[in-house]
Amino acid sequence: MWDQIRLKYKILCVNEPLRIYELSEGSLSDKMAKIRYQSPNGTLLYYRTVLSLPVSKGQLLRAAINYSRFGFGAGRSPIRLLSKTPKKILIALMMPFGLLAHIKDRLGKAL
């Protein structure tokens, strides 16, 4: 949602905290990868959206890696992942890193 808002407005001022984070074992933040794997369609849609936004190169690379990471976790083939994204060359180049991240998740039992 915030990504869409920032496309329309140059600045957003809020006088109250939007979020207060307390990291603790077993919290949602602690289980974020697992939650994303459990909702692959929403996760892939989010990263596809980020790939089409004017973001920094670092954010773009991270989104491309995570798009393929969670795509592999959802059982999507590389061809299917490439057919659904606006940045085909970037995704193709980042797929090996996404696959490594997915394998790391599996070995770390993030699923």
Side-chain angles (χ1 to χ4, degrees):
M1 172 179 81
W2 295 111
D3 292 321
Q4 298 296 323
I5 290 172
R6 77 182 176 102
L7 290 177
K8 189 172 180 180
Y9 302 100
K10 293 190 184 283
I11 188 167
L12 172 68
C13 298
V14 180
N15 292 330
E16 296 180 22
L18 298 174
R19 291 184 182 174
I20 298 174
Y21 286 101
E22 283 189 35
L23 297 178
S24 61
E25 192 173 321
S27 68
L28 288 177
S29 298
D30 191 38
K31 299 177 183 176
M32 192 52 68
K34 183 176 182 178
I35 291 168
R36 289 181 180 161
Y37 275 110
Q38 290 173 344
S39 179
N41 292 332
T43 299
L44 293 175
L45 176 62
Y46 170 74
Y47 287 115
R48 259 196 321 270
T49 302
V50 172
L51 289 166
S52 65
L53 295 173
V55 296
S56 70
K57 290 178 185 177
Q59 289 174 306
L60 201 59
L61 291 174
R62 189 170 34 250
I65 291 168
N66 281 327
Y67 177 76
S68 57
R69 169 189 178 190
F70 293 107
F72 288 130
R76 306 292 203 284
S77 71
I79 293 170
R80 185 171 176 196
L81 287 172
L82 288 172
S83 72
K84 302 272 184 183
T85 181
K87 307 271 187 192
K88 292 175 181 19
I89 294 172
L90 177 64
I91 294 297
L93 292 172
M94 294 298 110
M95 270 189 183
F97 299 104
L99 181 59
L100 287 174
H102 170 64
I103 291 169
K104 182 181 173 192
D105 289 340
R106 295 214 36 135
L107 294 175
K109 307 287 189 255
L111 304 176

